[in-house]
Amino acid sequence: MANRLACHVAGLPLPNPVMPASGTFDYHPDVRTPVDVARLGALIPKSITLHPQPGNPPSRLAETPAGLINSIGIPSPGLAAFQDKFRSVYGGVPCPLVISVAGYSPDEYAQLTQACSRWPEVVAIELNLSCPNLKTHLMPAQDPILLRDAVQAARAATVKPLWAKLSPNVTTIAPMAAIAHDAGADAVVAINTIRAMAINIERQKAILGHFTGGLSGPAILPIGLSMVWDIAQHTSVPVIGCGGIRTVDDALMYLMAGASAVQVGTATFAHPAAMMDIINGLDRYLADQGIAQIADIIGIAKPA
Amino acid sequence: MANRLACHVAGLPLPNPVMPASGTFDYHPDVRTPVDVARLGALIPKSITLHPQPGNPPSRLAETPAGLINSIGIPSPGLAAFQDKFRSVYGGVPCPLVISVAGYSPDEYAQLTQACSRWPEVVAIELNLSCPNLKTHLMPAQDPILLRDAVQAARAATVKPLWAKLSPNVTTIAPMAAIAHDAGADAVVAINTIRAMAINIERQKAILGHFTGGLSGPAILPIGLSMVWDIAQHTSVPVIGCGGIRTVDDALMYLMAGASAVQVGTATFAHPAAMMDIINGLDRYLADQGIAQIADIIGIAKPA
Amino acid sequence: MSPWTEDEGTVLNNCRVDRDVFFLEVRAPNIAPASQPGQFVMLSGWDVHPLLPRAMAPIRFDTERAVLAIYYRVVGPGTERLSRLGPGSRLRLIGPLGTPLVPQHGPLALIGRGVGITPLLPIAEAAVQLGIPVRSYLSARTRPLLLEERRFVELGPLATHVAELDGPHTLVTEQLARDLEGGFIPAMAIVAGSGRLAQHVLMLAAQFGFRAQSFVEEKMACGVGYCKGCAIGNHGRLICLDGPALPLEEVL
Amino acid sequence: MSPWTEDEGTVLNNCRVDRDVFFLEVRAPNIAPASQPGQFVMLSGWDVHPLLPRAMAPIRFDTERAVLAIYYRVVGPGTERLSRLGPGSRLRLIGPLGTPLVPQHGPLALIGRGVGITPLLPIAEAAVQLGIPVRSYLSARTRPLLLEERRFVELGPLATHVAELDGPHTLVTEQLARDLEGGFIPAMAIVAGSGRLAQHVLMLAAQFGFRAQSFVEEKMACGVGYCKGCAIGNHGRLICLDGPALPLEEVL
Ligand SMILES: Cc1cc2nc3c(=O)[nH]c(=O)nc-3n(C[C@H](O)[C@H](O)[C@H](O)COP(=O)(O)OP(=O)(O)OC[C@H]3O[C@@H](n4cnc5c(N)ncnc54)[C@H](O)[C@@H]3O)c2cc1C
Ligand SMILES: Cc1cc2nc3c(=O)[nH]c(=O)nc-3n(C[C@H](O)[C@H](O)[C@H](O)COP(=O)(O)OP(=O)(O)OC[C@H]3O[C@@H](n4cnc5c(N)ncnc54)[C@H](O)[C@@H]3O)c2cc1C
Ligand SMILES: Cc1cc2nc3c(=O)[nH]c(=O)nc-3n(C[C@H](O)[C@H](O)[C@H](O)COP(=O)(O)O)c2cc1C
Ligand SMILES: Cc1cc2nc3c(=O)[nH]c(=O)nc-3n(C[C@H](O)[C@H](O)[C@H](O)COP(=O)(O)O)c2cc1C
Ligand code: FES
Ligand code: FES
């Protein structure tokens, strides 16, 4: 049987369009879990940074209606330590591997991208562009110049596919996608979490140690979907949809809105096998509808 | 007994800080409903436009996890027709009245503001700055220049308090609040709905007639809260909190984050008396905590 | 706009009638006694999910016991959660909503399908009480879904069509067509629960010259005219205020 | 990290023990047999609201019947919805999670309060089976909340403190202090369910020289080390992976 789910993201072949969102899933070669990593479209571990850093102070999580706010930050062993353990952890990874990198300057993105491109297992680099710039306090994903500089620096450092992960905290997202594309990104990922906050009224203070954080989960699905739609309507850059996906229907909405593939984050927490369900569900959907390949439904949603 | 709930928004006295969000509630002098309008902090009817317009095509509503997307647009009788019926509808309104106006140019904002300021019942004008500009497709609330021009035009047209209602679809909201303030707004309202979309996967098309719309309801509460917090931290403009408020605890979060008052929208649909519950709940909270007046809790939330 | 209120309702009875159709009786102290034919309620028996209340058109308003009787089909999260509420559970209700539809002249033709027929029964009962003759034309997938068939029979001639028994290729409105040809010309026909039947009635109305209304459904948020979400057609009519029954030619 | 899985569990029994405390028995075919003392599960019996699963430390793993026994206090939406599930309801479970805590040397002092004591019983049972002596010090608001008091008595000397009967001004750890003075020096003390008791044990541990661990709670999302949300202290320790019991000096 031909694999109906086989797909491409900007020319990069993947066995299927379902992969975890960075920071919400990982792989441990010796540990059996309900997720058969060999069946994933790709694996993306948590973003790594150049230098070791501890992440944000606790509390790091707050639950909201249909949403989760996290202020994890990026606890990271740093590039050197990551390199040391790379082979033992990801050497035998049974699916395409994408490494997410987060830098505090264009040069850091370049160094990280270059280093991570060396491993043959790595099929693409995802740029997490949501680290606040130390001077402007804006994230590269929020500012045209910072965005262009970060993507260009990474582009110059690798020949592998480059994905730029965008932030929803912008006035309009399509221009940012176009800038990333022009600067050399092969695809964009939309969306990262949305700035949010929770307050404990008894203690009269912010719940999160870092006081604000990023909202994820089903609450943000309609926002992510509109952004993917905008990017697909107004640019030619391939887009990977992310934000609030929990079920196969959610994944179908993103694909029909124009996403070439999807990432699943928060849903994995309540239901680790969610990605397996979505992969099975997509296959069943295509079979039931008599659709030959996943590419045939990408972007088919009509305006109304 | 002194009214613990009496408060001020930028100097304007209100009997309490709880009012409806524009477009989600209205007043009919002869109709008994579960909402005792005499007990509201203020009444804000749906935005009116200068010229009559029909609003967007159906379907206009889509439900999402803890959220509602609407693409109502602004069905409006136009200023002239509104003026004709003003006295018979709002002549005897038993609480402070705020009129929300929506224009397609600075001049329209000026005309609407001037006309609506004439009625003695009107205590403030709220500028709905979320009508897409016909040329740039941006809303005034999304663009510094459009925002400044609209607010300045309205400012020149009235001596009454002017509230500028901001959009969450901006890179950072505090600078927009500051621009509105500098342009003459006495207070800002944050937030309006967030751009969002829903797709019917059976029909493979957008659910809303206008294909995208605005997300409201509990899903957006943590986003609205972070924006009110940002405005309170970084500017001196009084802010009225709005977005996802359903319970007295939600209202307290906004007040503690720095809101001078709150608006309740979507929650009214499932529970029309929600505003009454929130007013009663705030009063009980102040009594239980031995707090003399609502002003004492505004902005008291500590970072963490 | 007529007065409405919010009730804390109590479930008295909530049981399955057919595969996915349930019968609910709920005590609504203020809403039930004030309800009139053609009106509906918005109800929610949950907290945050789903967010909005659901529109339901009761098949009976028991004004003395203050009870509303409702048939509903489980189609999504709201009706699914509704179906799990046992006796004694609390339900939030908003109502009575919409423009009452109390017929003044007769005769009346009532045409409906499936769960959608519920608003027709109160109209039939009000008509018969005013001495207005009523004929009903009801169709359903299965026999048990000819809801309250017996009561309709008591109120006047009833034609039925059950897809499972009578096959999918005829419409119950073919009997209406025969009755029209036989000289029965209603002052008004009211359709509920089927676009296909409404189409046929619209054709017959043009041919035989009678007025026709149809109950229409759109997603609703407020149910009381505030949100403007339930607009239909080109005149900006609101289903929740101007309807839920509207002139057929406006909604097809 | 040790292997874990996802189970579709079935509620066998779910009943109120005290005002806001419930006892749940759930069949978890794969998780129950694999569980070890000190471990916990994440469970959700709902769909979208609340979003995240809830952490629970079973008081008993019945490996033969594949049943987990859990006591829980209703404090918010998750436990509230849990409390409404009847026998036969489905529950999603993730587990077994966390680092097992099987004592190797004795004697052992177990100190706990209220619903928080649940992880102590599997530890006590494992210890006694290995021939390690155990003394328990349990406190609660009311007598019924001295959960499984009888079973603790079977396993070793038990000191109790019931706030309702014994007054709020003494701590059950005062008996531990007397026992320490009398010469009972544990190889390890394990505290659960009370910061106040943990404080006192930390003091006693320093004074009398024994190791002490405490079960700690933080909001969790994944329970398996992916999200990094449950970090505690200055070493970036994750409660779900490195805990849920951690050295007392790290968490106070
Ligand atoms: C005035 C009025 C009276 C009604 N009376 C009854 C009644 O007595 N009994 C009854 O069973 N139902 C009645 N309905 C329909 C009922 O309101 C919907 O079935 C219900 O809201 C569905 O809620 P849900 O959460 O279960 O499903 P949802 O998730 O809301 O919907 C499930 C599926 O059904 C579709 N759908 C939902 N609502 C509608 C709709 N209104 N029109 C078309 N498609 C829809 C959705 O697109 C979706 O695919 C009435 C509707 C109106 C407007
Ligand atoms: C490893 C572990 C094992 C646990 N075992 C049990 C058990 O066996 N029985 C049991 O009843 N509970 C146990 N808990 C606690 C239980 O997970 C929480 O009470 C539950 O998640 C609350 O969910 P909720 O939706 O009802 O309330 P929520 O809305 O999540 O919380 C309600 C209130 O309680 C507070 N709260 C919730 N969770 C915590 C927490 N973890 N720490 C401090 N404050 C909190 C919140 O701030 C809020 O004010 C355990 C926790 C952990 C981490
Ligand atoms: C706990 C947590 C940690 C995350 N860490 C990262 C990260 O390290 N890098 C990154 O690019 N995105 C990170 N994200 C964002 C997700 O990858 C994803 O973009 C977002 O959560 C929206 O998807 P979801 O709604 O499916 O979770 C994190 C999200 C969560 C909830
Ligand atoms: C159905 C609907 C109609 C609305 N119409 C308007 C409007 O006319 N003018 C306006 O400024 N905001 C309008 N809004 C936005 C609300 O006033 C409010 O800013 C938003 O819904 C967030 O608050 P909530 O989550 O409490 O609903 C509308 C919102 C909804 C849901
Ligand atoms: S449902 Fe809100 S106006 Fe009709
Ligand atoms: S709960 Fe996710 S890492 Fe511990």
Side-chain angles (χ1 to χ4, degrees):
Chain A
M1 188 199 69
N3 179 2
R4 281 183 285 261
L5 295 178
C7 63
H8 289 82
V9 171
L12 173 71
L14 297 177
N16 69 65
V18 181
M19 60 189 96
S22 176
T24 64
F25 182 76
D26 207 349
Y27 169 66
H28 300 268
D30 317 316
V31 183
R32 239 206 7 225
T33 78
V35 181
D36 181 358
V37 172
R39 295 194 55 217
L40 293 178
L43 172 74
I44 313 179
K46 185 162 181 74
S47 303
I48 58 160
T49 56
L50 188 60
H51 302 295
Q53 59 178 40
N56 291 330
S59 295
R60 292 175 167 184
L61 299 171
E63 211 172 346
T64 67
L68 167 67
I69 317 180
N70 87 77
S71 67
I72 311 288
I74 306 182
S76 169
L79 179 61
F82 185 79
Q83 282 176 314
D84 287 346
K85 67 161 197 174
F86 181 88
R87 188 124 320 274
S88 67
V89 180
Y90 300 108
V93 63
C95 73
L97 179 66
V98 178
I99 298 293
S100 169
V101 301
Y104 292 91
S105 67
D107 180 56
E108 288 197 8
Y109 280 109
Q111 286 188 54
L112 286 158
T113 299
Q114 185 171 36
C116 295
S117 296
R118 285 203 208 103
W119 293 297
E121 292 84 358
V122 174
V123 302
I125 304 292
E126 180 174 292
L127 304 177
N128 174 353
L129 297 155
S130 293
C131 288
N133 179 280
L134 300 180
K135 270 179 262 160
T136 66
H137 297 290
L138 286 179
M139 314 183 293
Q142 288 184 296
D143 181 82
I145 309 293
L146 294 175
L147 177 62
R148 188 199 58 197
D149 291 352
V151 175
Q152 277 182 349
R155 178 71 289 166
T158 189
V159 294
K160 290 197 172 173
L162 201 59
W163 300 352
K165 186 164 178 182
L166 301 179
S167 165
N169 285 113
V170 294
T171 301
T172 46
I173 200 159
M176 301 304 279
I179 289 168
H181 200 200
D182 292 345
D186 298 286
V188 297
V189 182
I191 56 176
N192 212 314
T193 56
I194 306 178
R195 196 174 149 81
M197 185 180 191
I199 287 177
N200 180 322
I201 56 173
E202 272 93 51
R203 303 196 193 163
Q204 308 187 332
K205 64 175 198 170
I207 290 179
L208 299 171
H210 197 242
F211 48 93
T212 61
L215 186 65
S216 63
I220 71 167
L221 184 136
I223 300 172
L225 192 65
S226 80
M227 294 195 167
V228 165
W229 168 268
D230 281 352
I231 294 168
Q233 296 290 309
H234 298 295
T235 77
S236 61
V237 60
V239 50
I240 297 160
C242 178
I245 297 174
R246 199 174 57 89
T247 66
V248 63
D249 287 4
D250 297 340
L252 283 168
M253 285 192 222
Y254 270 97
L255 295 168
M256 290 181 181
S260 302
V262 294
Q263 297 185 347
V264 180
T266 302
T268 288
F269 301 152
H271 179 31
M275 285 186 285
M276 299 291 110
D277 287 359
I278 292 172
I279 292 168
N280 295 335
L282 284 179
D283 195 52
R284 207 173 315 118
Y285 176 84
L286 295 184
D288 289 352
Q289 304 279 318
I291 299 171
Q293 47 175 353
I294 199 89
D296 295 343
I297 63 166
I298 290 171
I300 58 168
K302 291 172 287 297
Chain B
M1 190 199 67
N3 178 3
R4 280 183 286 260
L5 295 179
C7 64
H8 288 82
V9 172
L12 173 71
L14 297 177
N16 68 65
V18 182
M19 59 189 96
S22 176
T24 65
F25 183 77
D26 207 350
Y27 169 66
H28 299 267
D30 316 317
V31 182
R32 237 201 12 215
T33 78
V35 180
D36 181 358
V37 173
R39 295 192 55 216
L40 294 177
L43 173 73
I44 312 179
K46 183 161 182 73
S47 303
I48 58 161
T49 56
L50 188 60
H51 303 294
Q53 59 178 41
N56 291 331
S59 296
R60 292 176 167 183
L61 298 172
E63 211 172 345
T64 66
L68 168 67
I69 316 180
N70 87 77
S71 66
I72 310 290
I74 306 180
S76 169
L79 178 62
F82 185 79
Q83 282 177 314
D84 288 346
K85 68 162 197 174
F86 181 88
R87 187 123 324 273
S88 67
V89 180
Y90 300 109
V93 64
C95 73
L97 180 66
V98 178
I99 298 293
S100 168
V101 300
Y104 292 90
S105 68
D107 180 57
E108 287 196 12
Y109 280 109
Q111 287 187 54
L112 286 159
T113 300
Q114 183 170 40
C116 295
S117 297
R118 284 202 209 102
W119 293 297
E121 292 84 357
V122 174
V123 302
I125 305 291
E126 181 174 290
L127 304 178
N128 174 354
L129 297 157
S130 293
C131 287
N133 179 280
L134 300 180
K135 268 178 266 163
T136 67
H137 298 289
L138 285 179
M139 315 183 292
Q142 289 185 295
D143 181 83
I145 310 292
L146 295 175
L147 176 63
R148 188 200 59 197
D149 291 352
V151 175
Q152 277 181 351
R155 177 72 286 165
T158 188
V159 295
K160 290 199 172 172
L162 201 58
W163 299 351
K165 187 165 178 182
L166 302 179
S167 165
N169 285 112
V170 293
T171 301
T172 46
I173 200 159
M176 302 304 281
I179 288 167
H181 200 199
D182 291 346
D186 299 286
V188 296
V189 181
I191 56 174
N192 211 314
T193 56
I194 306 178
R195 194 174 152 80
M197 185 181 192
I199 287 177
N200 181 324
I201 55 173
E202 272 94 52
R203 303 195 192 164
Q204 307 187 332
K205 63 176 201 171
I207 290 179
L208 299 171
H210 196 243
F211 49 91
T212 61
L215 185 66
S216 64
I220 71 167
L221 185 137
I223 300 172
L225 193 63
S226 80
M227 294 197 166
V228 165
W229 167 267
D230 281 352
I231 294 168
Q233 297 288 310
H234 298 294
T235 77
S236 61
V237 59
V239 51
I240 296 161
C242 179
I245 296 173
R246 198 175 57 90
T247 65
V248 63
D249 286 4
D250 297 339
L252 283 168
M253 284 192 223
Y254 270 97
L255 295 168
M256 289 181 182
S260 302
V262 294
Q263 297 184 347
V264 181
T266 302
T268 289
F269 302 151
H271 180 32
M275 285 186 284
M276 300 291 109
D277 287 359
I278 293 172
I279 293 168
N280 295 335
L282 285 179
D283 195 53
R284 206 172 318 115
Y285 176 84
L286 296 183
D288 289 352
Q289 304 280 318
I291 298 171
Q293 47 175 353
I294 199 88
D296 295 342
I297 64 165
I298 290 171
I300 57 166
K302 290 172 288 297
Chain C
M1 196 176 160
S2 51
W4 52 271
T5 190
E6 189 175 342
D7 258 351
E8 168 100 2
T10 312
V11 174
L12 302 178
N13 179 17
N14 190 17
C15 58
R16 194 185 297 265
V17 173
D18 195 46
R19 221 173 41 195
D20 54 356
V21 176
F22 287 71
F23 177 66
L24 168 74
E25 285 182 301
V26 56
R27 171 161 293 134
N30 298 297
I31 295 172
S35 295
Q36 292 187 65
Q39 292 191 295
F40 69 102
V41 297
M42 299 285 281
L43 56 81
S44 51
W46 43 82
D47 220 36
V48 176
H49 182 75
L51 185 63
L52 298 173
R54 266 46 184 166
M56 294 286 156
I59 198 161
R60 233 184 337 265
F61 323 105
D62 184 329
T63 48
E64 270 162 45
R65 288 167 59 227
V67 172
L68 300 173
I70 290 170
Y71 285 95
Y72 64 95
R73 183 185 301 278
V74 173
V75 297
T79 46
E80 206 273 324
R81 291 197 66 172
L82 190 57
S83 73
R84 287 204 243 145
L85 298 180
S89 301
R90 297 299 170 143
L91 264 184
R92 182 168 281 156
L93 293 113
I94 306 167
L97 306 175
T99 302
L101 202 169
V102 188
Q104 309 297 333
H105 321 284
L108 217 58
L110 303 177
I111 302 98
R113 178 168 170 82
V115 178
I117 70 157
T118 57
L120 298 180
L121 189 55
I123 294 171
E125 298 200 312
V128 169
Q129 219 156 33
L130 294 169
I132 295 174
V134 171
R135 291 197 190 188
S136 303
Y137 306 82
L138 303 181
S139 96
R141 183 167 38 82
T142 65
R143 187 106 222 166
L145 288 181
L146 283 176
L147 305 175
E148 310 266 342
E149 182 183 0
R150 289 240 204 91
R151 184 67 190 127
F152 274 102
V153 168
E154 288 170 13
L155 296 169
L158 170 68
T160 66
H161 180 274
V162 175
E164 212 176 58
L165 308 174
D166 307 326
H169 298 297
T170 57
L171 292 178
V172 71
T173 37
E174 286 162 23
Q175 182 57 47
L176 172 61
R178 282 192 289 275
D179 289 353
L180 290 164
E181 276 155 21
F184 168 76
I185 304 293
M188 161 94 81
I190 304 173
V191 195
S194 165
R196 221 167 133 217
L197 296 181
Q199 282 288 4
H200 196 198
V201 171
L202 184 61
M203 212 191 73
L204 295 171
Q207 191 182 339
F208 290 91
F210 56 90
R211 289 196 303 137
Q213 300 226 356
S214 179
F215 280 88
V216 274
E217 297 188 6
E218 259 286 346
K219 184 81 188 160
M220 290 187 179
C222 71
V224 300
Y226 293 159
C227 78
K228 321 295 179 204
C230 63
I232 192 171
N234 301 321
H235 304 72
R237 299 266 242 160
L238 298 180
I239 294 175
C240 71
L241 272 194
D242 304 316
L246 287 169
L248 242 188
E249 59 280 10
E250 279 192 31
V251 297
L252 277 185
Chain D
M1 197 175 159
S2 50
W4 52 270
T5 191
E6 189 175 340
D7 259 350
E8 168 100 4
T10 313
V11 174
L12 303 179
N13 178 18
N14 190 16
C15 58
R16 195 186 296 266
V17 174
D18 195 44
R19 221 173 41 195
D20 53 357
V21 175
F22 287 71
F23 178 65
L24 168 75
E25 283 181 301
V26 56
R27 171 162 293 133
N30 298 297
I31 295 173
S35 295
Q36 293 187 64
Q39 291 192 296
F40 70 101
V41 298
M42 299 285 281
L43 57 81
S44 50
W46 42 82
D47 221 37
V48 176
H49 181 75
L51 184 63
L52 298 174
R54 266 46 186 166
M56 294 287 157
I59 199 161
R60 231 183 341 262
F61 323 104
D62 184 330
T63 48
E64 270 162 45
R65 288 168 59 228
V67 172
L68 300 173
I70 289 169
Y71 286 94
Y72 62 94
R73 183 186 299 281
V74 173
V75 297
T79 47
E80 207 273 323
R81 290 196 68 171
L82 190 57
S83 73
R84 287 204 242 146
L85 298 180
S89 302
R90 296 297 167 144
L91 264 184
R92 182 168 281 156
L93 292 111
I94 305 166
L97 306 174
T99 302
L101 203 168
V102 188
Q104 309 297 336
H105 321 282
L108 217 58
L110 303 177
I111 303 99
R113 178 169 169 82
V115 179
I117 69 156
T118 58
L120 298 181
L121 189 55
I123 294 171
E125 298 200 312
V128 169
Q129 220 156 32
L130 295 169
I132 295 174
V134 171
R135 291 197 188 187
S136 302
Y137 304 83
L138 303 181
S139 95
R141 184 166 39 81
T142 65
R143 186 107 223 168
L145 288 182
L146 284 176
L147 305 176
E148 311 267 341
E149 183 183 359
R150 288 240 206 91
R151 185 68 190 126
F152 275 101
V153 168
E154 287 168 14
L155 296 169
L158 171 68
T160 66
H161 181 275
V162 175
E164 209 176 62
L165 308 174
D166 307 327
H169 297 300
T170 56
L171 292 178
V172 69
T173 36
E174 286 162 22
Q175 182 58 47
L176 171 62
R178 282 191 290 276
D179 289 352
L180 290 164
E181 276 154 21
F184 167 76
I185 304 293
M188 162 93 82
I190 304 173
V191 194
S194 164
R196 220 167 133 217
L197 296 182
Q199 282 288 1
H200 196 198
V201 171
L202 184 61
M203 211 190 74
L204 295 172
Q207 192 180 338
F208 291 91
F210 56 90
R211 288 197 303 139
Q213 300 227 0
S214 179
F215 281 89
V216 275
E217 297 186 7
E218 258 288 346
K219 184 81 186 160
M220 289 187 181
C222 70
V224 300
Y226 293 158
C227 77
K228 320 296 178 203
C230 63
I232 191 171
N234 300 321
H235 304 72
R237 298 267 241 160
L238 299 179
I239 294 176
C240 71
L241 273 195
D242 304 315
L246 287 169
L248 244 187
E249 59 280 10
E250 280 192 30
V251 297
L252 276 185

